[in-house]
Amino acid sequence: MTTEPYAIVQTPRAQLSFHLGDCLTILAELRPHSVDAIVTSPPYNLGIRYRTYEDRRPRAEYLEWTATWVKAAARVLRPHGSLFLNVGSMPSDPWAAMDVAMAVRPFLHLQNTIHWVKSIVIERDSAGARAGLARDLAVGHYKPINSVRFLNDCHEFLFHFTPAGVTPLERRAIGVRYQDETNIARWRAAAGGLRCRGNTWFVPYDTIKYRDRDRPHPATFPSRLPEYCLRLHGLTRLHLVVDPFLGIGSTAVACARLGVPFLGIEIDRGYLDEAVARTRDAAAAAAPGDAVTASE
């Protein structure tokens, strides 16, 4: 690459580099078929108040821009690579996420559609006696909607795109244990007592006390979400992970914890500084006692 990194975080197992600038510029400098996985959440075009980016373009212009960056991303993906694309919408604009998925269609195959559930209610009777619930359980966080027409929006899409639709996955790397262990004896695929998590992932936000301090970005996702994506793709096949819309660094944090080489791109210096700081903290926590160096 000709563009110098804005910062580098070096861990005992991996190098994580951070670039300040437009993702189209940086992606163009990467070699074709050099990236194993991209995990990202671009601006939704729903009028979110970012510090630098204007998130309210005409729909046709936004989708044309989406196609442009996806084409650039598809160029750098390996033949068995993965693009995990988190896209949100809002009740008054329910087609937004679908329109984005359709903009990707000319360049990549939609291999899996994952539903990221941020809040859910589990009724005691539905959970069954084995769950041991004393009452109905409501967990997770959502933004309440004051409306007589719309339901509270408690989920977002996580589209899994691949070059040919045949990328192998480590399905039980994020597997869940059978609630009824008698199922283990019934299925040869149940070795180890784990089953595929499926395409519905409950990943709540961490509880925060002060939004400006603890979540200084208006649209981010928990680091456990990209961690699930990377484990599902297969850690042994991850030689480079990229996030072209880094924000405050959730994908970088996941890579630091997992010891996976990473390259992140962000157009806003303030968000990028926060991402670098969070990644340093995650790297230090993942390898206590080991040296973690960073340069800027």
Side-chain angles (χ1 to χ4, degrees):
M1 294 187 63
T2 58
T3 302
E4 291 294 322
Y6 178 79
I8 294 175
V9 175
Q10 184 69 51
T11 77
R13 290 191 290 166
Q15 177 176 289
L16 301 93
S17 63
F18 300 82
H19 293 260
L20 177 64
D22 192 303
C23 69
L24 293 176
T25 301
I26 306 301
L27 287 173
E29 296 185 13
L30 297 178
R31 290 181 292 105
H33 312 306
S34 61
V35 176
D36 298 287
I38 298 172
V39 186
T40 195
S41 181
Y44 297 165
N45 204 45
L46 299 176
I48 294 173
R49 297 180 63 183
Y50 297 101
R51 288 164 35 109
T52 302
Y53 175 79
E54 175 55 49
D55 192 45
R56 198 180 294 275
R57 297 186 182 189
R59 178 60 60 89
E61 178 184 318
Y62 171 73
L63 294 176
E64 182 179 356
W65 171 78
T66 297
T68 300
W69 78 257
V70 168
K71 182 178 180 180
R75 183 188 72 87
V76 302
L77 272 182
R78 296 188 192 275
H80 286 96
S82 292
L83 166 60
F84 292 93
L85 177 60
N86 167 230
V87 185
S89 59
M90 57 185 180
S92 60
D93 189 6
W95 291 107
M98 302 300 184
D99 287 345
V100 169
M102 290 300 294
V104 181
R105 189 172 184 175
F107 310 102
L108 294 167
H109 290 255
L110 179 57
Q111 186 165 324
N112 290 284
T113 299
I114 300 162
H115 302 269
W116 168 28
V117 178
K118 298 182 282 187
S119 177
I120 193 169
V121 175
I122 302 172
E123 295 179 347
R124 177 177 177 272
D125 291 343
S126 298
R130 287 179 178 272
L133 297 181
R135 57 188 177 86
D136 295 348
L137 179 65
V139 288
H141 304 276
Y142 63 92
K143 185 177 182 180
I145 296 174
N146 184 18
S147 172
V148 297
R149 295 187 295 155
F150 302 123
L151 303 176
N152 288 331
D153 197 0
C154 299
H155 111 292
E156 291 186 11
F157 288 100
L158 181 61
F159 297 115
H160 174 223
F161 293 102
T162 62
V166 295
T167 296
L169 298 175
E170 299 289 338
R171 300 189 337 142
R172 283 184 289 161
I174 56 168
V176 294
R177 295 201 170 276
Y178 285 90
Q179 185 168 337
D180 184 351
E181 293 188 358
T182 61
N183 286 315
I184 298 175
R186 298 176 188 170
W187 305 101
R188 285 181 297 175
L194 295 177
R195 65 169 177 84
C196 171
R197 181 175 294 269
N199 63 358
T200 304
W201 298 356
F202 173 57
V203 182
Y205 285 106
D206 293 332
T207 301
I208 62 174
K209 292 183 178 180
Y210 308 101
R211 179 173 181 95
D212 290 344
R213 184 192 69 188
D214 297 334
R215 194 180 297 154
H217 189 282
T220 187
F221 47 62
S223 60
R224 189 150 58 101
L225 192 68
E227 182 176 336
Y228 277 6
C229 294
L230 298 176
R231 289 186 182 278
L232 181 65
H233 178 85
L235 296 182
T236 60
R237 295 190 293 118
L238 291 175
H239 305 289
L240 180 60
V241 174
V242 169
D243 186 345
F245 304 98
L246 182 59
I248 58 172
S250 294
T251 303
V253 167
C255 287
R257 290 173 178 164
L258 296 171
V260 172
F262 173 78
L263 187 151
I265 309 166
E266 174 54 47
I267 201 170
D268 185 285
R269 186 186 299 270
Y271 293 153
L272 190 57
D273 285 337
E274 182 69 21
V276 173
R278 293 180 69 217
T279 304
R280 286 175 179 156
D281 291 344
D290 289 324
V292 178
T293 60
S295 61
E296 293 184 328

